[in-house]
Amino acid sequence: MKRRSLLKYSLIAGGAAASGALVYSQIPYDEIDQEITQLDFEFFDQQDQIVLTAIIPIMLVGTNQSPKQIAQVIVNMDQAILFLSKQTQKELRELFDLLANKLGRVVLVGIWSSWRTANAEQLIEFLNDWRDSYIDLIQIGYQGLKQLVVGNYYADAESWSQIGYPGPPKLI
Amino acid sequence: MANNFNNPYSKESLAIKNWSLIDGSITQQSIELEADIVIVGTGAGGGIAAEILSKAGFKVIMIEEGPLRHSDHFNMLEKEAYPDLYQESAARKTADKAISIMQGRSVGGSTTVNWTSSFRTPRSTLNHWQKEHDVKGLSSEQMLPWFEWVEKRLNIHPWPVPPNPNNQMLQDGLTKLGWKSNIIPRNVNGCANLGYCGTGCPINAKQSMLISTIPTALDHQATLISRTRVEKLMTNGDKVSGVELRFMNDQGQLRNLKAGKIKAKHVILSAGAIGTPAVMLRSKTPDPYNLVGKRTFIHPVNLTAAIYDQTIDPFSGAPQSVYSDEFLWPEDSQIGFKLEVPPMHPVLTSTMINGFGEDHAQVFSELPKTNATLALLRDGFHEQSQGGEVRLDDNLYPVLDYPITDLLWNGFKKSYQVMMEVQFAAGAKKVIPMHRDAVFVDSWKKAQQMLEQLPMKKLRAKIFTAHLMGGAPLGSDPKSSIVGNDHQHHQLEGLSIMDGSVFPTSLGVNPQLTIYSMSARAATLLSEELMS
């Protein structure tokens, strides 16, 4: 199929991400958790936070992310979601419940062990599978997660030097 | 005086002005008011109507679901601007999530955050409305005085400063290929070429409704109620008698507090092409021909990105200053499209780059050398382009369904091709269509080969809209329109619609000047009628 050949290409690109992910093969969960305990959340419960602390560092491989920034991304996401429509909030709640649920994790994510014991390759494979899924709802789930994670990482000035963005001009 | 850039809403200014302002997110009191005219929404349509009608001596009350934010708040940070100034934090989407919707939601509506492009309605569009949609009184000649009035009022003029490099690339590529481009007229006064129109103009150069017509209306005893939504129209027989309100909290969600109502002789819906049909659907206004919320048009947008050797800094400088209509009115039966560029700031751009991890970070690290080009498709003119539909979800909140037909997919494919050709002609090193299965390619030939393989499918191609139109069309025939040529409802007395929802099709140009001009005409006609 035509799409397959393109997907092959993106798998090669995915391979590059996999090697980079080795940097984070040991996600510093303890340090991230420490940052998180100092913050307040309205939308995300503890189960959601466990899922996010596994996904976010993988999505942000290649950036200069720190445990503090990862925790900040989760807070930013939490706040951003409160501005979405009730229907969209409901859909996101279902998505996070699914990811935090053992059956959902095994069947739809393909991670048999817990989120925290999954290695970087498994997490990358899960994200790639969801990105390229033929099921619309799965694609939508990936796209929603990705937009929330990267959007809320690049929302803060700490990330800008990596992309050559000087920030807004100073007004006199 | 501190340099607050002549902010009409600064503390110093408000202290001497005695304006009537109510914030529905903090008030503890239910509203019981009466007015001659209630205007629902303060964007391009409502803002213009508010000025004209309050100056004519009517007691006007403006209702806006977003917050009152102004240049004291506009700090050019996406993180703060999106939740404050956009519908659903700039993450609104169609029901199937295939199309991202950029729509303003604060006092001034989308005019507070748009990129200032100000085009007169194309003659061909107005002719089409006349011929195919039974529209009368809106020929180019009849609209001319209204265009001229608005252009003067909002200081609309072709941008006299050289385009920023992001726009320059579009112009260069087009010129090399022998295709025409032009300079975009903008509604600015004292613009410092910062590039942050999309997060609210921090120096009040943009002549949005926020700083032009709304202050004039407030000077003329109008009341502005922000963070408040119109839940329903009140009716008495076949006459509209006012509106029922709901207060919104500071996250844009409904408050539980009873908000009350406003009695009015006339109600004008100016809530935009999603909000206006929503009010009508919630109110179950008469709709004998099943037209409300149907034929919603969005100028669906696709984009390509290109990386150059030289610095582009696509986040800096007037966001849109060059356009091309070379492909807007094709002679074959394909859909036409207009070419422009989008500015690129970190948050939105990050969500548009393919993939995650190192792939994503690597592409993004080239932001300063990146240019993007966009095509907006002229939907609604073809049999195979009947637009989308606004409906209410379980929470009585509007959602948009917008099916992408083969005609549109063919248009996207063609515009991807044209845009990449233009970018290579402008000297791009590598180019990518904004599509989830695409990769960067370094030649025009490879780009064409890739395009042959790219699935033209929803959720794979990245599609956007910033222009919401239709859903309550204007025309002479009640069988095909909701309002008459005077913008008044065919069935209900005391109800007008003045916003983009009255368009029978899309326009083929950014819509603000059309909405301003049609609303200026409609508000003037209404004023004359109510006076007599």
Side-chain angles (χ1 to χ4, degrees), chain A residues 5 59 61 82 84 91 139 143 146-147 156 165, chain B residues 79 93 97 196 253 353 355 357 453 459-460:
Chain A
S5 58
M59 280 204 168
V61 166
L82 301 177
L84 302 178
E91 290 162 5
Q139 280 187 50
Q143 289 169 18
K146 182 255 180 92
Q147 287 179 11
D156 286 320
Y165 175 65
Chain B
K79 183 178 178 176
K93 288 183 166 64
K97 317 289 183 204
Y196 287 79
Q253 310 291 350
I353 294 171
Q453 293 187 41
L459 298 172
R460 305 316 298 172

mmCIF file with all atom_site columns, all heavy atoms in Angstrom, chain A residues 5 59 61 82 84 91 139 143 146-147 156 165, chain B residues 79 93 97 196 253 353 355 357 453 459-460:
data_model
loop_
_atom_site.group_PDB
_atom_site.id
_atom_site.type_symbol
_atom_site.label_atom_id
_atom_site.label_alt_id
_atom_site.label_comp_id
_atom_site.label_asym_id
_atom_site.label_entity_id
_atom_site.label_seq_id
_atom_site.pdbx_PDB_ins_code
_atom_site.Cartn_x
_atom_site.Cartn_y
_atom_site.Cartn_z
_atom_site.occupancy
_atom_site.B_iso_or_equiv
_atom_site.pdbx_formal_charge
_atom_site.auth_seq_id
_atom_site.auth_comp_id
_atom_site.auth_asym_id
_atom_site.auth_atom_id
_atom_site.pdbx_PDB_model_num
ATOM 1   N N   . SER A 1 5   ? 4.706   2.515  2.378  1.00 0.00 ? 5   SER A N   1
ATOM 2   C CA  . SER A 1 5   ? 6.059   2.898  1.989  1.00 0.00 ? 5   SER A CA  1
ATOM 3   C C   . SER A 1 5   ? 6.480   4.179  2.710  1.00 0.00 ? 5   SER A C   1
ATOM 4   O O   . SER A 1 5   ? 7.623   4.336  3.116  1.00 0.00 ? 5   SER A O   1
ATOM 5   C CB  . SER A 1 5   ? 6.148   3.077  0.476  1.00 0.00 ? 5   SER A CB  1
ATOM 6   O OG  . SER A 1 5   ? 5.229   4.046  0.062  1.00 0.00 ? 5   SER A OG  1
ATOM 7   N N   . MET A 1 59  ? 8.523   11.929 24.838 1.00 0.00 ? 59  MET A N   1
ATOM 8   C CA  . MET A 1 59  ? 8.116   12.880 23.795 1.00 0.00 ? 59  MET A CA  1
ATOM 9   C C   . MET A 1 59  ? 9.106   14.034 23.683 1.00 0.00 ? 59  MET A C   1
ATOM 10  O O   . MET A 1 59  ? 9.240   14.637 22.622 1.00 0.00 ? 59  MET A O   1
ATOM 11  C CB  . MET A 1 59  ? 6.725   13.429 24.103 1.00 0.00 ? 59  MET A CB  1
ATOM 12  C CG  . MET A 1 59  ? 5.613   12.487 23.719 1.00 0.00 ? 59  MET A CG  1
ATOM 13  S SD  . MET A 1 59  ? 4.097   13.428 23.458 1.00 0.00 ? 59  MET A SD  1
ATOM 14  C CE  . MET A 1 59  ? 3.065   12.186 22.680 1.00 0.00 ? 59  MET A CE  1
ATOM 15  N N   . VAL A 1 61  ? 12.425  13.881 24.291 1.00 0.00 ? 61  VAL A N   1
ATOM 16  C CA  . VAL A 1 61  ? 13.820  13.520 24.017 1.00 0.00 ? 61  VAL A CA  1
ATOM 17  C C   . VAL A 1 61  ? 14.368  14.481 22.962 1.00 0.00 ? 61  VAL A C   1
ATOM 18  O O   . VAL A 1 61  ? 13.667  14.836 22.015 1.00 0.00 ? 61  VAL A O   1
ATOM 19  C CB  . VAL A 1 61  ? 13.911  12.066 23.496 1.00 0.00 ? 61  VAL A CB  1
ATOM 20  C CG1 . VAL A 1 61  ? 15.288  11.804 22.886 1.00 0.00 ? 61  VAL A CG1 1
ATOM 21  C CG2 . VAL A 1 61  ? 13.641  11.099 24.626 1.00 0.00 ? 61  VAL A CG2 1
ATOM 22  N N   . LEU A 1 82  ? -8.561  22.851 31.591 1.00 0.00 ? 82  LEU A N   1
ATOM 23  C CA  . LEU A 1 82  ? -9.725  23.456 32.236 1.00 0.00 ? 82  LEU A CA  1
ATOM 24  C C   . LEU A 1 82  ? -10.425 24.479 31.342 1.00 0.00 ? 82  LEU A C   1
ATOM 25  O O   . LEU A 1 82  ? -11.578 24.834 31.577 1.00 0.00 ? 82  LEU A O   1
ATOM 26  C CB  . LEU A 1 82  ? -9.314  24.122 33.558 1.00 0.00 ? 82  LEU A CB  1
ATOM 27  C CG  . LEU A 1 82  ? -8.671  23.177 34.580 1.00 0.00 ? 82  LEU A CG  1
ATOM 28  C CD1 . LEU A 1 82  ? -8.232  23.946 35.818 1.00 0.00 ? 82  LEU A CD1 1
ATOM 29  C CD2 . LEU A 1 82  ? -9.629  22.057 34.972 1.00 0.00 ? 82  LEU A CD2 1
ATOM 30  N N   . LEU A 1 84  ? -10.896 23.947 28.075 1.00 0.00 ? 84  LEU A N   1
ATOM 31  C CA  . LEU A 1 84  ? -11.525 23.258 26.947 1.00 0.00 ? 84  LEU A CA  1
ATOM 32  C C   . LEU A 1 84  ? -13.011 23.043 27.234 1.00 0.00 ? 84  LEU A C   1
ATOM 33  O O   . LEU A 1 84  ? -13.463 23.173 28.368 1.00 0.00 ? 84  LEU A O   1
ATOM 34  C CB  . LEU A 1 84  ? -10.816 21.929 26.700 1.00 0.00 ? 84  LEU A CB  1
ATOM 35  C CG  . LEU A 1 84  ? -9.308  22.056 26.425 1.00 0.00 ? 84  LEU A CG  1
ATOM 36  C CD1 . LEU A 1 84  ? -8.677  20.681 26.243 1.00 0.00 ? 84  LEU A CD1 1
ATOM 37  C CD2 . LEU A 1 84  ? -9.060  22.924 25.193 1.00 0.00 ? 84  LEU A CD2 1
ATOM 38  N N   . GLU A 1 91  ? -13.761 13.714 27.008 1.00 0.00 ? 91  GLU A N   1
ATOM 39  C CA  . GLU A 1 91  ? -12.998 12.807 26.139 1.00 0.00 ? 91  GLU A CA  1
ATOM 40  C C   . GLU A 1 91  ? -11.583 12.598 26.673 1.00 0.00 ? 91  GLU A C   1
ATOM 41  O O   . GLU A 1 91  ? -11.056 11.487 26.657 1.00 0.00 ? 91  GLU A O   1
ATOM 42  C CB  . GLU A 1 91  ? -12.959 13.363 24.710 1.00 0.00 ? 91  GLU A CB  1
ATOM 43  C CG  . GLU A 1 91  ? -14.311 13.308 24.004 1.00 0.00 ? 91  GLU A CG  1
ATOM 44  C CD  . GLU A 1 91  ? -14.402 14.237 22.792 1.00 0.00 ? 91  GLU A CD  1
ATOM 45  O OE1 . GLU A 1 91  ? -13.371 14.868 22.425 1.00 0.00 ? 91  GLU A OE1 1
ATOM 46  O OE2 . GLU A 1 91  ? -15.500 14.350 22.233 1.00 0.00 ? 91  GLU A OE2 1
ATOM 47  N N   . GLN A 1 139 ? -5.496  7.449  16.752 1.00 0.00 ? 139 GLN A N   1
ATOM 48  C CA  . GLN A 1 139 ? -4.751  8.582  16.179 1.00 0.00 ? 139 GLN A CA  1
ATOM 49  C C   . GLN A 1 139 ? -5.091  9.875  16.913 1.00 0.00 ? 139 GLN A C   1
ATOM 50  O O   . GLN A 1 139 ? -4.214  10.683 17.221 1.00 0.00 ? 139 GLN A O   1
ATOM 51  C CB  . GLN A 1 139 ? -5.128  8.784  14.708 1.00 0.00 ? 139 GLN A CB  1
ATOM 52  C CG  . GLN A 1 139 ? -4.462  7.862  13.730 1.00 0.00 ? 139 GLN A CG  1
ATOM 53  C CD  . GLN A 1 139 ? -4.821  8.304  12.300 1.00 0.00 ? 139 GLN A CD  1
ATOM 54  O OE1 . GLN A 1 139 ? -4.692  9.470  11.942 1.00 0.00 ? 139 GLN A OE1 1
ATOM 55  N NE2 . GLN A 1 139 ? -5.283  7.370  11.499 1.00 0.00 ? 139 GLN A NE2 1
ATOM 56  N N   . GLN A 1 143 ? -2.621  12.352 18.886 1.00 0.00 ? 143 GLN A N   1
ATOM 57  C CA  . GLN A 1 143 ? -2.496  13.755 18.483 1.00 0.00 ? 143 GLN A CA  1
ATOM 58  C C   . GLN A 1 143 ? -2.832  14.694 19.640 1.00 0.00 ? 143 GLN A C   1
ATOM 59  O O   . GLN A 1 143 ? -2.175  15.720 19.834 1.00 0.00 ? 143 GLN A O   1
ATOM 60  C CB  . GLN A 1 143 ? -3.375  14.038 17.260 1.00 0.00 ? 143 GLN A CB  1
ATOM 61  C CG  . GLN A 1 143 ? -2.810  13.368 15.991 1.00 0.00 ? 143 GLN A CG  1
ATOM 62  C CD  . GLN A 1 143 ? -3.773  13.391 14.811 1.00 0.00 ? 143 GLN A CD  1
ATOM 63  O OE1 . GLN A 1 143 ? -4.724  14.162 14.792 1.00 0.00 ? 143 GLN A OE1 1
ATOM 64  N NE2 . GLN A 1 143 ? -3.527  12.539 13.820 1.00 0.00 ? 143 GLN A NE2 1
ATOM 65  N N   . LYS A 1 146 ? 0.127   14.504 22.153 1.00 0.00 ? 146 LYS A N   1
ATOM 66  C CA  . LYS A 1 146 ? 1.316   15.159 21.610 1.00 0.00 ? 146 LYS A CA  1
ATOM 67  C C   . LYS A 1 146 ? 1.159   16.682 21.635 1.00 0.00 ? 146 LYS A C   1
ATOM 68  O O   . LYS A 1 146 ? 2.066   17.404 22.063 1.00 0.00 ? 146 LYS A O   1
ATOM 69  C CB  . LYS A 1 146 ? 1.550   14.641 20.176 1.00 0.00 ? 146 LYS A CB  1
ATOM 70  C CG  . LYS A 1 146 ? 2.781   15.203 19.493 1.00 0.00 ? 146 LYS A CG  1
ATOM 71  C CD  . LYS A 1 146 ? 2.376   16.223 18.462 1.00 0.00 ? 146 LYS A CD  1
ATOM 72  C CE  . LYS A 1 146 ? 3.524   16.841 17.725 1.00 0.00 ? 146 LYS A CE  1
ATOM 73  N NZ  . LYS A 1 146 ? 3.884   16.174 16.495 1.00 0.00 ? 146 LYS A NZ  1
ATOM 74  N N   . GLN A 1 147 ? 0.000   17.161 21.199 1.00 0.00 ? 147 GLN A N   1
ATOM 75  C CA  . GLN A 1 147 ? -0.204  18.613 21.177 1.00 0.00 ? 147 GLN A CA  1
ATOM 76  C C   . GLN A 1 147 ? -0.147  19.191 22.582 1.00 0.00 ? 147 GLN A C   1
ATOM 77  O O   . GLN A 1 147 ? 0.433   20.251 22.812 1.00 0.00 ? 147 GLN A O   1
ATOM 78  C CB  . GLN A 1 147 ? -1.531  18.954 20.496 1.00 0.00 ? 147 GLN A CB  1
ATOM 79  C CG  . GLN A 1 147 ? -1.439  18.743 18.989 1.00 0.00 ? 147 GLN A CG  1
ATOM 80  C CD  . GLN A 1 147 ? -2.736  19.040 18.262 1.00 0.00 ? 147 GLN A CD  1
ATOM 81  O OE1 . GLN A 1 147 ? -3.659  19.597 18.823 1.00 0.00 ? 147 GLN A OE1 1
ATOM 82  N NE2 . GLN A 1 147 ? -2.805  18.648 16.992 1.00 0.00 ? 147 GLN A NE2 1
ATOM 83  N N   . ASP A 1 156 ? 6.823   27.699 27.848 1.00 0.00 ? 156 ASP A N   1
ATOM 84  C CA  . ASP A 1 156 ? 7.668   28.365 28.848 1.00 0.00 ? 156 ASP A CA  1
ATOM 85  C C   . ASP A 1 156 ? 9.017   28.791 28.277 1.00 0.00 ? 156 ASP A C   1
ATOM 86  O O   . ASP A 1 156 ? 9.614   28.097 27.451 1.00 0.00 ? 156 ASP A O   1
ATOM 87  C CB  . ASP A 1 156 ? 7.869   27.448 30.050 1.00 0.00 ? 156 ASP A CB  1
ATOM 88  C CG  . ASP A 1 156 ? 6.608   27.379 30.912 1.00 0.00 ? 156 ASP A CG  1
ATOM 89  O OD1 . ASP A 1 156 ? 5.972   28.442 31.099 1.00 0.00 ? 156 ASP A OD1 1
ATOM 90  O OD2 . ASP A 1 156 ? 6.247   26.278 31.359 1.00 0.00 ? 156 ASP A OD2 1
ATOM 91  N N   . TYR A 1 165 ? 14.439  30.959 19.471 1.00 0.00 ? 165 TYR A N   1
ATOM 92  C CA  . TYR A 1 165 ? 13.396  31.976 19.636 1.00 0.00 ? 165 TYR A CA  1
ATOM 93  C C   . TYR A 1 165 ? 13.801  32.916 20.753 1.00 0.00 ? 165 TYR A C   1
ATOM 94  O O   . TYR A 1 165 ? 14.013  32.479 21.881 1.00 0.00 ? 165 TYR A O   1
ATOM 95  C CB  . TYR A 1 165 ? 12.058  31.296 19.954 1.00 0.00 ? 165 TYR A CB  1
ATOM 96  C CG  . TYR A 1 165 ? 10.927  32.250 20.271 1.00 0.00 ? 165 TYR A CG  1
ATOM 97  C CD1 . TYR A 1 165 ? 10.436  33.131 19.309 1.00 0.00 ? 165 TYR A CD1 1
ATOM 98  C CD2 . TYR A 1 165 ? 10.333  32.266 21.532 1.00 0.00 ? 165 TYR A CD2 1
ATOM 99  C CE1 . TYR A 1 165 ? 9.396   34.005 19.599 1.00 0.00 ? 165 TYR A CE1 1
ATOM 100 C CE2 . TYR A 1 165 ? 9.290   33.138 21.831 1.00 0.00 ? 165 TYR A CE2 1
ATOM 101 C CZ  . TYR A 1 165 ? 8.823   34.002 20.860 1.00 0.00 ? 165 TYR A CZ  1
ATOM 102 O OH  . TYR A 1 165 ? 7.792   34.867 21.153 1.00 0.00 ? 165 TYR A OH  1
ATOM 103 N N   . LYS B 2 79  ? 1.236   31.462 26.085 1.00 0.00 ? 79  LYS B N   1
ATOM 104 C CA  . LYS B 2 79  ? 0.729   30.719 27.235 1.00 0.00 ? 79  LYS B CA  1
ATOM 105 C C   . LYS B 2 79  ? -0.421  31.445 27.920 1.00 0.00 ? 79  LYS B C   1
ATOM 106 O O   . LYS B 2 79  ? -1.328  30.823 28.444 1.00 0.00 ? 79  LYS B O   1
ATOM 107 C CB  . LYS B 2 79  ? 1.874   30.491 28.236 1.00 0.00 ? 79  LYS B CB  1
ATOM 108 C CG  . LYS B 2 79  ? 1.495   29.660 29.438 1.00 0.00 ? 79  LYS B CG  1
ATOM 109 C CD  . LYS B 2 79  ? 2.692   29.444 30.340 1.00 0.00 ? 79  LYS B CD  1
ATOM 110 C CE  . LYS B 2 79  ? 2.303   28.634 31.580 1.00 0.00 ? 79  LYS B CE  1
ATOM 111 N NZ  . LYS B 2 79  ? 3.475   28.336 32.405 1.00 0.00 ? 79  LYS B NZ  1
ATOM 112 N N   . LYS B 2 93  ? -11.628 22.371 17.951 1.00 0.00 ? 93  LYS B N   1
ATOM 113 C CA  . LYS B 2 93  ? -11.523 21.506 16.774 1.00 0.00 ? 93  LYS B CA  1
ATOM 114 C C   . LYS B 2 93  ? -12.908 21.151 16.281 1.00 0.00 ? 93  LYS B C   1
ATOM 115 O O   . LYS B 2 93  ? -13.889 21.274 17.013 1.00 0.00 ? 93  LYS B O   1
ATOM 116 C CB  . LYS B 2 93  ? -10.764 20.226 17.137 1.00 0.00 ? 93  LYS B CB  1
ATOM 117 C CG  . LYS B 2 93  ? -9.269  20.435 17.369 1.00 0.00 ? 93  LYS B CG  1
ATOM 118 C CD  . LYS B 2 93  ? -8.584  19.098 17.650 1.00 0.00 ? 93  LYS B CD  1
ATOM 119 C CE  . LYS B 2 93  ? -7.082  19.190 17.555 1.00 0.00 ? 93  LYS B CE  1
ATOM 120 N NZ  . LYS B 2 93  ? -6.460  20.060 18.546 1.00 0.00 ? 93  LYS B NZ  1
ATOM 121 N N   . LYS B 2 97  ? -12.210 16.091 15.111 1.00 0.00 ? 97  LYS B N   1
ATOM 122 C CA  . LYS B 2 97  ? -10.830 16.496 15.462 1.00 0.00 ? 97  LYS B CA  1
ATOM 123 C C   . LYS B 2 97  ? -9.920  16.662 14.238 1.00 0.00 ? 97  LYS B C   1
ATOM 124 O O   . LYS B 2 97  ? -8.706  16.801 14.389 1.00 0.00 ? 97  LYS B O   1
ATOM 125 C CB  . LYS B 2 97  ? -10.151 15.503 16.418 1.00 0.00 ? 97  LYS B CB  1
ATOM 126 C CG  . LYS B 2 97  ? -11.001 14.991 17.545 1.00 0.00 ? 97  LYS B CG  1
ATOM 127 C CD  . LYS B 2 97  ? -11.263 16.059 18.581 1.00 0.00 ? 97  LYS B CD  1
ATOM 128 C CE  . LYS B 2 97  ? -12.072 15.463 19.729 1.00 0.00 ? 97  LYS B CE  1
ATOM 129 N NZ  . LYS B 2 97  ? -12.824 16.470 20.450 1.00 0.00 ? 97  LYS B NZ  1
ATOM 130 N N   . TYR B 2 196 ? 3.180   40.391 16.765 1.00 0.00 ? 196 TYR B N   1
ATOM 131 C CA  . TYR B 2 196 ? 2.420   39.735 17.822 1.00 0.00 ? 196 TYR B CA  1
ATOM 132 C C   . TYR B 2 196 ? 0.930   40.096 17.798 1.00 0.00 ? 196 TYR B C   1
ATOM 133 O O   . TYR B 2 196 ? 0.279   40.146 18.837 1.00 0.00 ? 196 TYR B O   1
ATOM 134 C CB  . TYR B 2 196 ? 3.065   40.035 19.184 1.00 0.00 ? 196 TYR B CB  1
ATOM 135 C CG  . TYR B 2 196 ? 4.363   39.264 19.335 1.00 0.00 ? 196 TYR B CG  1
ATOM 136 C CD1 . TYR B 2 196 ? 5.529   39.716 18.718 1.00 0.00 ? 196 TYR B CD1 1
ATOM 137 C CD2 . TYR B 2 196 ? 4.395   38.063 20.017 1.00 0.00 ? 196 TYR B CD2 1
ATOM 138 C CE1 . TYR B 2 196 ? 6.704   38.993 18.798 1.00 0.00 ? 196 TYR B CE1 1
ATOM 139 C CE2 . TYR B 2 196 ? 5.561   37.332 20.106 1.00 0.00 ? 196 TYR B CE2 1
ATOM 140 C CZ  . TYR B 2 196 ? 6.714   37.799 19.503 1.00 0.00 ? 196 TYR B CZ  1
ATOM 141 O OH  . TYR B 2 196 ? 7.871   37.068 19.576 1.00 0.00 ? 196 TYR B OH  1
ATOM 142 N N   . GLN B 2 253 ? -16.037 28.666 31.620 1.00 0.00 ? 253 GLN B N   1
ATOM 143 C CA  . GLN B 2 253 ? -17.083 27.665 31.872 1.00 0.00 ? 253 GLN B CA  1
ATOM 144 C C   . GLN B 2 253 ? -18.278 28.347 32.529 1.00 0.00 ? 253 GLN B C   1
ATOM 145 O O   . GLN B 2 253 ? -18.139 29.404 33.160 1.00 0.00 ? 253 GLN B O   1
ATOM 146 C CB  . GLN B 2 253 ? -16.551 26.554 32.789 1.00 0.00 ? 253 GLN B CB  1
ATOM 147 C CG  . GLN B 2 253 ? -15.221 25.961 32.363 1.00 0.00 ? 253 GLN B CG  1
ATOM 148 C CD  . GLN B 2 253 ? -15.291 25.149 31.078 1.00 0.00 ? 253 GLN B CD  1
ATOM 149 O OE1 . GLN B 2 253 ? -16.370 24.852 30.578 1.00 0.00 ? 253 GLN B OE1 1
ATOM 150 N NE2 . GLN B 2 253 ? -14.137 24.814 30.533 1.00 0.00 ? 253 GLN B NE2 1
ATOM 151 N N   . ILE B 2 353 ? 4.587   20.479 14.082 1.00 0.00 ? 353 ILE B N   1
ATOM 152 C CA  . ILE B 2 353 ? 5.725   19.715 13.571 1.00 0.00 ? 353 ILE B CA  1
ATOM 153 C C   . ILE B 2 353 ? 5.476   18.224 13.785 1.00 0.00 ? 353 ILE B C   1
ATOM 154 O O   . ILE B 2 353 ? 4.992   17.818 14.841 1.00 0.00 ? 353 ILE B O   1
ATOM 155 C CB  . ILE B 2 353 ? 7.023   20.159 14.285 1.00 0.00 ? 353 ILE B CB  1
ATOM 156 C CG1 . ILE B 2 353 ? 7.343   21.608 13.910 1.00 0.00 ? 353 ILE B CG1 1
ATOM 157 C CG2 . ILE B 2 353 ? 8.186   19.243 13.926 1.00 0.00 ? 353 ILE B CG2 1
ATOM 158 C CD1 . ILE B 2 353 ? 8.479   22.202 14.727 1.00 0.00 ? 353 ILE B CD1 1
ATOM 159 N N   . GLY B 2 355 ? 5.765   14.245 14.500 1.00 0.00 ? 355 GLY B N   1
ATOM 160 C CA  . GLY B 2 355 ? 6.469   13.332 15.384 1.00 0.00 ? 355 GLY B CA  1
ATOM 161 C C   . GLY B 2 355 ? 6.743   13.901 16.756 1.00 0.00 ? 355 GLY B C   1
ATOM 162 O O   . GLY B 2 355 ? 6.116   14.873 17.193 1.00 0.00 ? 355 GLY B O   1
ATOM 163 N N   . GLY B 2 357 ? 10.022  13.622 20.165 1.00 0.00 ? 357 GLY B N   1
ATOM 164 C CA  . GLY B 2 357 ? 11.402  13.260 20.475 1.00 0.00 ? 357 GLY B CA  1
ATOM 165 C C   . GLY B 2 357 ? 12.398  13.990 19.588 1.00 0.00 ? 357 GLY B C   1
ATOM 166 O O   . GLY B 2 357 ? 12.177  15.136 19.196 1.00 0.00 ? 357 GLY B O   1
ATOM 167 N N   . GLN B 2 453 ? 2.102   10.100 -3.325 1.00 0.00 ? 453 GLN B N   1
ATOM 168 C CA  . GLN B 2 453 ? 1.882   9.024  -2.362 1.00 0.00 ? 453 GLN B CA  1
ATOM 169 C C   . GLN B 2 453 ? 1.137   9.447  -1.109 1.00 0.00 ? 453 GLN B C   1
ATOM 170 O O   . GLN B 2 453 ? 0.590   8.614  -0.402 1.00 0.00 ? 453 GLN B O   1
ATOM 171 C CB  . GLN B 2 453 ? 3.236   8.467  -1.907 1.00 0.00 ? 453 GLN B CB  1
ATOM 172 C CG  . GLN B 2 453 ? 3.988   7.755  -3.000 1.00 0.00 ? 453 GLN B CG  1
ATOM 173 C CD  . GLN B 2 453 ? 5.228   7.081  -2.432 1.00 0.00 ? 453 GLN B CD  1
ATOM 174 O OE1 . GLN B 2 453 ? 5.187   6.503  -1.356 1.00 0.00 ? 453 GLN B OE1 1
ATOM 175 N NE2 . GLN B 2 453 ? 6.320   7.170  -3.148 1.00 0.00 ? 453 GLN B NE2 1
ATOM 176 N N   . LEU B 2 459 ? -7.156  13.619 9.470  1.00 0.00 ? 459 LEU B N   1
ATOM 177 C CA  . LEU B 2 459 ? -6.245  13.247 10.550 1.00 0.00 ? 459 LEU B CA  1
ATOM 178 C C   . LEU B 2 459 ? -4.824  12.970 10.067 1.00 0.00 ? 459 LEU B C   1
ATOM 179 O O   . LEU B 2 459 ? -3.910  12.837 10.866 1.00 0.00 ? 459 LEU B O   1
ATOM 180 C CB  . LEU B 2 459 ? -6.748  12.046 11.363 1.00 0.00 ? 459 LEU B CB  1
ATOM 181 C CG  . LEU B 2 459 ? -8.077  12.245 12.089 1.00 0.00 ? 459 LEU B CG  1
ATOM 182 C CD1 . LEU B 2 459 ? -8.565  10.924 12.680 1.00 0.00 ? 459 LEU B CD1 1
ATOM 183 C CD2 . LEU B 2 459 ? -7.969  13.299 13.177 1.00 0.00 ? 459 LEU B CD2 1
ATOM 184 N N   . ARG B 2 460 ? -4.605  12.842 8.757  1.00 0.00 ? 460 ARG B N   1
ATOM 185 C CA  . ARG B 2 460 ? -3.242  12.728 8.234  1.00 0.00 ? 460 ARG B CA  1
ATOM 186 C C   . ARG B 2 460 ? -2.783  14.116 7.756  1.00 0.00 ? 460 ARG B C   1
ATOM 187 O O   . ARG B 2 460 ? -1.772  14.615 8.181  1.00 0.00 ? 460 ARG B O   1
ATOM 188 C CB  . ARG B 2 460 ? -3.136  11.692 7.124  1.00 0.00 ? 460 ARG B CB  1
ATOM 189 C CG  . ARG B 2 460 ? -3.634  10.300 7.484  1.00 0.00 ? 460 ARG B CG  1
ATOM 190 C CD  . ARG B 2 460 ? -3.196  9.790  8.850  1.00 0.00 ? 460 ARG B CD  1
ATOM 191 N NE  . ARG B 2 460 ? -1.754  9.639  9.014  1.00 0.00 ? 460 ARG B NE  1
ATOM 192 C CZ  . ARG B 2 460 ? -1.167  9.358  10.180 1.00 0.00 ? 460 ARG B CZ  1
ATOM 193 N NH1 . ARG B 2 460 ? -1.905  9.207  11.277 1.00 0.00 ? 460 ARG B NH1 1
ATOM 194 N NH2 . ARG B 2 460 ? 0.135   9.238  10.252 1.00 0.00 ? 460 ARG B NH2 1
#
